[in-house]
Amino acid sequence: MENVYVWCVAKVRSGSEENIRVQCKEKISPDIILDCYVFYYEEKRHIRGTWVIQEKVLFPGYVFFVTEEAEKLKEELSHIHGISELLENDGNVVSLAEEDVYFLKMFGGEEQTVVLSEGVIEKSKLRVYAGPLMGKEQYIRKIDRHKRKALLEMPIFGKVQKMQVGLEVVSKT
């Protein structure tokens, strides 16, 4: 019989995502948690005259788990300080849809980090030529060229999610 892995999501206090991820990896058996993720995005910041790439949490307040045992995971997470809840529907642990898992893997890559995308604005139209936003221009609702960010509205997790990611617009004609 083939193993069935599900992705579950826990709600945590915003700012504690990485701490919770580390706690879970240390305290919960690898038989229950096959993997545990916090997704990030790269952002370019101007600090003391130099451009620096920093990582920011893509989904503040959420930690993602891969497991075969959702109910055992729920029980184990109840012992981890700082986890508000494992997302549930009618008392059952909610697992992410296959298309959401695929999106997260493609968007965040192996490192679970959405790298900085690059694009140009030609005749008032954005064209992304490098990075994970390539081909996803239709989801971009706002561009902040000064902060080098794009605000996205994407259908994921069963609803339209707002998120921001790094976008460098290198020229405008």
Side-chain angles (χ1 to χ4, degrees), residues 129-145:
Y129 61 81
L133 287 180
M134 232 169 69
K136 294 178 179 57
E137 291 88 348
Q138 74 270 26
Y139 300 116
I140 299 173
R141 296 295 171 253
K142 183 179 177 188
I143 299 170
D144 186 334
R145 290 188 66 202

Side-chain angles (χ1 to χ4, degrees), residues 9-61:
V9 183
K11 193 159 181 51
V12 302
R13 192 179 78 250
S14 198
S16 68
E17 299 88 357
E18 189 60 32
N19 180 355
I20 299 289
R21 187 191 73 77
V22 170
Q23 274 189 68
C24 290
K25 293 287 270 186
E26 289 174 353
K27 295 179 179 178
I28 299 176
S29 165
D31 293 339
I32 296 172
I33 291 183
L34 303 170
D35 223 328
C36 183
Y37 302 112
V38 173
F39 285 88
Y40 293 92
Y41 70 94
E42 289 183 344
E43 170 181 277
K44 216 170 197 184
R45 302 284 303 250
H46 200 245
I47 300 173
R48 289 186 230 114
T50 306
W51 285 102
V52 177
I53 293 180
Q54 296 182 325
E55 287 187 350
K56 301 283 185 170
V57 176
L58 183 62
F59 302 107

Side-chain angles (χ1 to χ4, degrees), residues 33-172:
I33 291 183
L34 303 170
D35 223 328
C36 183
Y37 302 112
V38 173
F39 285 88
Y40 293 92
Y41 70 94
E42 289 183 344
E43 170 181 277
K44 216 170 197 184
R45 302 284 303 250
H46 200 245
I47 300 173
R48 289 186 230 114
T50 306
W51 285 102
V52 177
I53 293 180
Q54 296 182 325
E55 287 187 350
K56 301 283 185 170
V57 176
L58 183 62
F59 302 107
Y62 295 95
V63 178
F64 297 79
F65 298 94
V66 181
T67 185
E68 289 178 291
E69 309 267 354
E71 290 304 318
K72 283 185 182 175
L73 173 64
K74 178 181 171 181
E75 184 181 316
E76 291 293 320
L77 290 178
S78 69
H79 305 296
I80 303 291
H81 179 71
I83 293 189
S84 301
E85 62 184 336
L86 195 58
L87 298 187
E88 297 180 318
N89 187 4
D90 293 331
N92 297 317
V93 176
V94 173
S95 60
L96 295 183
E98 278 185 48
E99 56 269 16
D100 292 339
V101 172
Y102 177 77
F103 166 78
L104 289 171
K105 287 179 177 179
M106 298 308 296
F107 207 50
E110 285 292 314
E111 302 298 316
Q112 295 82 45
T113 301
V114 180
V115 296
L116 194 66
S117 293
E118 292 184 358
V120 294
I121 296 176
E122 299 167 331
K123 299 178 186 166
S124 300
K125 187 163 173 65
L126 174 69
R127 183 177 61 83
V128 179
Y129 61 81
L133 287 180
M134 232 169 69
K136 294 178 179 57
E137 291 88 348
Q138 74 270 26
Y139 300 116
I140 299 173
R141 296 295 171 253
K142 183 179 177 188
I143 299 170
D144 186 334
R145 290 188 66 202
H146 179 71
K147 292 186 177 178
R148 290 166 168 74
K149 287 185 185 179
L151 177 66
L152 309 176
E153 288 183 358
M154 299 192 75
I156 184 171
F157 312 143
K159 61 182 182 177
V160 175
Q161 294 282 336
K162 291 183 180 187
M163 63 183 94
Q164 59 184 11
V165 295
L167 172 64
E168 174 109 43
V169 176
V170 296
S171 72
K172 182 177 179 179

